[in-house]
């Protein structure tokens, strides 16, 4: 997939020079940066999901199939009547 980015020319020239000195291209450098960020995001999601599942197992929590978090419903259930 191709995308168009708007980057100030001075930055593009600086990174192109750096990339050439390091045997790569601006395109490859940007691709690697984005790939690294995606891996970080995926690892964080996985570790969060793993931690959640560990806590569920530890406390014998059973989440019904198809259940989705509903912040408004949780708020109403938890605080209903406290401020009336």
């Amino acid at each position: 997939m191709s995308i168009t980015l708007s980057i100030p020319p001075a930055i593009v020239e600086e990174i192109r020079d750096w990339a050439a000195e390091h045997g790569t291209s601006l395109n490859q450098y940007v691709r690697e940066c984005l790939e690294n960020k995606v891996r970080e995001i995926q690892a964080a999601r996985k570790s969060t999901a793993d931690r959640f599942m560990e806590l569920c197992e530890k406390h014998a929590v059973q989440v019904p199939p198809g259940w989705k978090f509903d912040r408004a419903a949780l708020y109403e259930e938890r605080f209903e009547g406290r401020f009336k």
Side-chain angles (χ1 to χ4, degrees):
M1 172 188 299
S2 294
I3 63 170
T4 301
L5 300 173
S6 178
I7 304 171
I11 292 174
V12 171
E13 291 306 316
E14 191 72 32
I15 292 298
R16 274 196 178 136
D17 291 345
W18 180 90
E21 291 170 8
H22 289 83
T24 190
S25 66
L26 172 61
N27 189 53
Q28 183 62 32
Y29 177 73
V30 170
R31 182 181 304 121
E32 288 173 3
C33 287
L34 293 174
E35 287 170 349
N36 289 338
K37 181 50 75 176
V38 167
R39 278 194 289 279
E40 287 176 24
I41 291 167
Q42 289 172 339
R45 282 184 185 151
K46 183 177 186 299
S47 63
T48 300
D50 289 345
R51 180 72 178 131
F52 175 75
M53 292 308 294
E54 287 172 8
L55 289 170
C56 286
E57 290 170 8
K58 178 180 177 181
H59 298 286
V61 173
Q62 294 182 6
V63 179
W67 179 84
K68 292 191 178 185
F69 179 77
D70 183 347
R71 185 180 306 272
L74 177 64
Y75 182 84
E76 288 173 17
E77 180 181 312
R78 187 163 184 204
F79 297 107
E80 189 174 274
R82 286 192 182 188
F83 302 107
K84 291 182 180 181

